[in-house]
Short mmCIF file of all heavy atoms in Angstrom, two decimals:
data_model
loop_
_atom_site.label_atom_id
_atom_site.label_comp_id
_atom_site.label_asym_id
_atom_site.label_seq_id
_atom_site.Cartn_x
_atom_site.Cartn_y
_atom_site.Cartn_z
N VAL H 1 -14.65 3.66 -10.26
CA VAL H 1 -15.11 2.29 -10.35
C VAL H 1 -15.54 1.82 -9.00
O VAL H 1 -14.89 2.05 -7.98
CB VAL H 1 -13.90 1.38 -10.82
CG1 VAL H 1 -14.36 -0.09 -10.92
CG2 VAL H 1 -13.42 1.84 -12.19
N PHE H 2 -16.70 1.15 -8.99
CA PHE H 2 -17.21 0.54 -7.80
C PHE H 2 -17.06 -1.01 -8.04
O PHE H 2 -17.67 -1.54 -8.88
CB PHE H 2 -18.69 0.85 -7.53
CG PHE H 2 -18.95 2.29 -7.26
CD1 PHE H 2 -19.30 3.17 -8.26
CD2 PHE H 2 -18.84 2.77 -5.96
CE1 PHE H 2 -19.50 4.54 -7.97
CE2 PHE H 2 -19.03 4.07 -5.72
CZ PHE H 2 -19.39 5.01 -6.72
N ASN H 3 -16.17 -1.65 -7.32
CA ASN H 3 -15.87 -3.08 -7.48
C ASN H 3 -15.79 -3.74 -6.11
O ASN H 3 -14.89 -4.61 -5.90
CB ASN H 3 -14.63 -3.25 -8.33
CG ASN H 3 -13.40 -2.70 -7.64
OD1 ASN H 3 -13.50 -2.14 -6.54
ND2 ASN H 3 -12.26 -2.84 -8.30
N GLY H 4 -16.65 -3.40 -5.26
CA GLY H 4 -16.56 -3.90 -3.89
C GLY H 4 -15.89 -2.81 -2.98
O GLY H 4 -15.95 -2.86 -1.77
N LYS H 5 -15.22 -1.92 -3.66
CA LYS H 5 -14.66 -0.73 -3.00
C LYS H 5 -14.75 0.43 -4.01
O LYS H 5 -15.11 0.22 -5.18
CB LYS H 5 -13.18 -0.96 -2.57
CG LYS H 5 -12.23 -1.17 -3.61
CD LYS H 5 -10.78 -1.07 -3.15
CE LYS H 5 -10.21 -2.37 -2.70
NZ LYS H 5 -8.87 -2.33 -2.31
N PHE H 6 -14.44 1.61 -3.57
CA PHE H 6 -14.45 2.75 -4.38
C PHE H 6 -13.07 2.98 -4.91
O PHE H 6 -12.11 3.05 -4.13
CB PHE H 6 -14.87 4.00 -3.55
CG PHE H 6 -14.72 5.32 -4.23
CD1 PHE H 6 -15.74 5.87 -4.93
CD2 PHE H 6 -13.52 6.02 -4.11
CE1 PHE H 6 -15.60 7.14 -5.49
CE2 PHE H 6 -13.32 7.27 -4.77
CZ PHE H 6 -14.40 7.81 -5.41
N VAL H 7 -12.85 3.17 -6.21
CA VAL H 7 -11.60 3.47 -6.81
C VAL H 7 -11.74 4.63 -7.75
O VAL H 7 -12.63 4.55 -8.75
CB VAL H 7 -11.01 2.22 -7.60
CG1 VAL H 7 -9.65 2.54 -8.16
CG2 VAL H 7 -10.92 1.03 -6.71
N PHE H 8 -10.95 5.72 -7.51
CA PHE H 8 -10.93 6.85 -8.35
C PHE H 8 -9.57 6.90 -9.03
O PHE H 8 -8.52 6.68 -8.35
CB PHE H 8 -11.19 8.17 -7.60
CG PHE H 8 -10.84 9.44 -8.41
CD1 PHE H 8 -11.68 9.76 -9.45
CD2 PHE H 8 -9.77 10.20 -8.08
CE1 PHE H 8 -11.38 10.94 -10.16
CE2 PHE H 8 -9.44 11.34 -8.76
CZ PHE H 8 -10.33 11.68 -9.84
N GLU H 9 -9.59 7.12 -10.37
CA GLU H 9 -8.27 7.27 -11.04
C GLU H 9 -8.32 8.50 -11.92
O GLU H 9 -9.16 8.66 -12.75
CB GLU H 9 -7.97 6.02 -11.95
CG GLU H 9 -6.54 6.15 -12.50
CD GLU H 9 -6.14 4.77 -13.17
OE1 GLU H 9 -6.81 3.76 -13.01
OE2 GLU H 9 -5.15 4.85 -13.85
N LEU H 10 -7.43 9.41 -11.67
CA LEU H 10 -7.31 10.62 -12.44
C LEU H 10 -6.79 10.34 -13.85
O LEU H 10 -5.83 9.48 -13.99
CB LEU H 10 -6.37 11.57 -11.69
CG LEU H 10 -6.28 12.99 -12.12
CD1 LEU H 10 -7.65 13.75 -11.85
CD2 LEU H 10 -5.18 13.77 -11.29
N ALA H 11 -7.34 10.95 -14.86
CA ALA H 11 -6.92 10.75 -16.26
C ALA H 11 -5.40 11.12 -16.36
O ALA H 11 -4.94 12.04 -15.67
CB ALA H 11 -7.77 11.55 -17.20
N ASP H 12 -4.74 10.48 -17.27
CA ASP H 12 -3.32 10.74 -17.48
C ASP H 12 -3.02 12.22 -17.79
O ASP H 12 -2.03 12.76 -17.46
CB ASP H 12 -2.75 9.85 -18.62
CG ASP H 12 -2.64 8.38 -18.13
OD1 ASP H 12 -2.61 8.16 -16.91
OD2 ASP H 12 -2.61 7.51 -19.05
N ASN H 13 -3.97 12.82 -18.57
CA ASN H 13 -3.69 14.24 -19.04
C ASN H 13 -4.07 15.26 -18.03
O ASN H 13 -3.92 16.45 -18.29
CB ASN H 13 -4.50 14.44 -20.35
CG ASN H 13 -5.93 14.38 -20.18
OD1 ASN H 13 -6.44 13.54 -19.45
ND2 ASN H 13 -6.70 15.25 -20.88
N ILE H 14 -4.55 14.87 -16.87
CA ILE H 14 -4.92 15.85 -15.86
C ILE H 14 -3.83 15.90 -14.75
O ILE H 14 -3.54 14.95 -14.05
CB ILE H 14 -6.31 15.44 -15.13
CG1 ILE H 14 -7.38 15.33 -16.18
CG2 ILE H 14 -6.63 16.49 -14.09
CD1 ILE H 14 -7.70 16.58 -16.99
N PRO H 15 -3.17 17.02 -14.62
CA PRO H 15 -2.12 17.13 -13.58
C PRO H 15 -2.69 17.06 -12.14
O PRO H 15 -3.78 17.54 -11.90
CB PRO H 15 -1.53 18.57 -13.83
CG PRO H 15 -2.00 18.97 -15.16
CD PRO H 15 -3.30 18.29 -15.43
N THR H 16 -1.94 16.40 -11.27
CA THR H 16 -2.44 16.26 -9.92
C THR H 16 -2.56 17.53 -9.24
O THR H 16 -3.47 17.77 -8.38
CB THR H 16 -1.50 15.31 -9.04
OG1 THR H 16 -0.15 15.75 -9.18
CG2 THR H 16 -1.61 13.83 -9.63
N ASN H 17 -1.71 18.50 -9.53
CA ASN H 17 -1.82 19.83 -8.91
C ASN H 17 -3.05 20.57 -9.28
O ASN H 17 -3.74 21.23 -8.47
CB ASN H 17 -0.63 20.71 -9.28
CG ASN H 17 0.62 20.34 -8.58
OD1 ASN H 17 0.59 19.68 -7.52
ND2 ASN H 17 1.80 20.62 -9.12
N TYR H 18 -3.56 20.41 -10.54
CA TYR H 18 -4.81 20.96 -10.97
C TYR H 18 -5.99 20.29 -10.18
O TYR H 18 -6.81 21.02 -9.59
CB TYR H 18 -5.02 20.71 -12.46
CG TYR H 18 -6.43 21.07 -12.91
CD1 TYR H 18 -6.81 22.38 -13.08
CD2 TYR H 18 -7.37 20.10 -13.19
CE1 TYR H 18 -8.06 22.70 -13.49
CE2 TYR H 18 -8.65 20.41 -13.55
CZ TYR H 18 -9.05 21.69 -13.78
OH TYR H 18 -10.29 21.93 -14.14
N TRP H 19 -5.95 19.00 -10.08
CA TRP H 19 -7.02 18.28 -9.39
C TRP H 19 -7.08 18.64 -7.85
O TRP H 19 -8.13 18.89 -7.26
CB TRP H 19 -6.93 16.75 -9.48
CG TRP H 19 -8.02 16.07 -8.79
CD1 TRP H 19 -7.84 15.29 -7.71
CD2 TRP H 19 -9.39 16.02 -9.13
NE1 TRP H 19 -9.10 14.83 -7.26
CE2 TRP H 19 -10.06 15.29 -8.17
CE3 TRP H 19 -10.16 16.68 -10.12
CZ2 TRP H 19 -11.41 15.06 -8.16
CZ3 TRP H 19 -11.51 16.45 -10.07
CH2 TRP H 19 -12.15 15.68 -9.12
N LYS H 20 -5.94 18.85 -7.25
CA LYS H 20 -5.85 19.21 -5.87
C LYS H 20 -6.52 20.54 -5.64
O LYS H 20 -6.96 20.76 -4.55
CB LYS H 20 -4.43 19.21 -5.36
CG LYS H 20 -3.94 17.75 -5.18
CD LYS H 20 -2.48 17.73 -4.70
CE LYS H 20 -2.02 16.32 -4.56
NZ LYS H 20 -0.61 16.20 -4.07
N GLN H 21 -6.44 21.43 -6.63
CA GLN H 21 -7.07 22.77 -6.47
C GLN H 21 -8.57 22.71 -6.69
O GLN H 21 -9.34 23.46 -6.01
CB GLN H 21 -6.50 23.68 -7.48
CG GLN H 21 -5.04 24.07 -7.25
CD GLN H 21 -4.42 24.89 -8.41
OE1 GLN H 21 -5.15 25.41 -9.25
NE2 GLN H 21 -3.14 25.01 -8.37
N VAL H 22 -9.10 21.87 -7.58
CA VAL H 22 -10.50 21.93 -7.94
C VAL H 22 -11.30 20.74 -7.55
O VAL H 22 -12.50 20.72 -7.57
CB VAL H 22 -10.73 22.16 -9.51
CG1 VAL H 22 -10.08 23.46 -9.97
CG2 VAL H 22 -10.20 21.00 -10.28
N GLY H 23 -10.61 19.63 -7.23
CA GLY H 23 -11.28 18.34 -7.03
C GLY H 23 -11.88 18.15 -5.66
O GLY H 23 -11.58 18.86 -4.71
N PHE H 24 -12.74 17.14 -5.60
CA PHE H 24 -13.48 16.85 -4.36
C PHE H 24 -13.07 15.52 -3.76
O PHE H 24 -13.54 15.09 -2.70
CB PHE H 24 -15.01 16.92 -4.55
CG PHE H 24 -15.47 16.04 -5.64
CD1 PHE H 24 -15.91 14.73 -5.28
CD2 PHE H 24 -15.55 16.40 -6.94
CE1 PHE H 24 -16.35 13.86 -6.26
CE2 PHE H 24 -16.05 15.60 -7.91
CZ PHE H 24 -16.47 14.30 -7.60
N ILE H 25 -12.21 14.79 -4.47
CA ILE H 25 -11.66 13.53 -3.93
C ILE H 25 -10.20 13.69 -3.66
O ILE H 25 -9.39 13.98 -4.56
CB ILE H 25 -11.85 12.39 -4.97
CG1 ILE H 25 -13.33 12.14 -5.28
CG2 ILE H 25 -11.19 11.10 -4.49
CD1 ILE H 25 -13.65 11.22 -6.47
N PRO H 26 -9.74 13.65 -2.44
CA PRO H 26 -8.37 13.97 -2.11
C PRO H 26 -7.44 12.83 -2.59
O PRO H 26 -7.75 11.68 -2.62
CB PRO H 26 -8.34 14.03 -0.57
CG PRO H 26 -9.55 13.46 -0.13
CD PRO H 26 -10.53 13.41 -1.25
N LEU H 27 -6.27 13.31 -3.11
CA LEU H 27 -5.26 12.42 -3.53
C LEU H 27 -3.96 12.56 -2.61
O LEU H 27 -3.60 13.70 -2.33
CB LEU H 27 -4.83 12.71 -4.96
CG LEU H 27 -5.92 12.55 -6.07
CD1 LEU H 27 -5.39 13.01 -7.45
CD2 LEU H 27 -6.37 11.11 -6.11
N ALA H 28 -3.44 11.47 -2.22
CA ALA H 28 -2.23 11.51 -1.38
C ALA H 28 -0.99 11.78 -2.18
O ALA H 28 -0.81 11.20 -3.25
CB ALA H 28 -2.02 10.18 -0.65
N ASN H 29 -0.16 12.71 -1.79
CA ASN H 29 1.07 13.10 -2.46
C ASN H 29 0.74 13.37 -3.91
O ASN H 29 -0.15 14.14 -4.20
CB ASN H 29 2.12 12.03 -2.22
CG ASN H 29 2.38 11.79 -0.80
OD1 ASN H 29 2.48 12.72 0.01
ND2 ASN H 29 2.52 10.55 -0.41
N ASN H 30 1.46 12.77 -4.84
CA ASN H 30 1.26 12.95 -6.27
C ASN H 30 0.50 11.79 -6.87
O ASN H 30 0.59 11.56 -8.13
CB ASN H 30 2.54 13.30 -6.99
CG ASN H 30 2.94 14.75 -6.77
OD1 ASN H 30 2.12 15.60 -6.58
ND2 ASN H 30 4.21 14.92 -6.70
#
């Protein structure tokens, strides 16, 4: 979402560990 800032939200069904392996937007901790 672009709402004056950039906001990325991972879908509920996507594990953070999976995204950390394949994703291009870093997530802090979990």
Side-chain angles (χ1 to χ4, degrees):
V1 178
F2 296 95
N3 62 1
K5 67 167 89 176
F6 170 94
V7 180
F8 168 69
E9 186 169 350
L10 194 62
D12 288 338
N13 64 322
I14 305 297
T16 55
N17 286 338
Y18 170 77
W19 180 249
K20 286 179 182 181
Q21 292 173 12
V22 301
F24 58 91
I25 300 170
L27 299 173
N29 301 318
N30 284 327

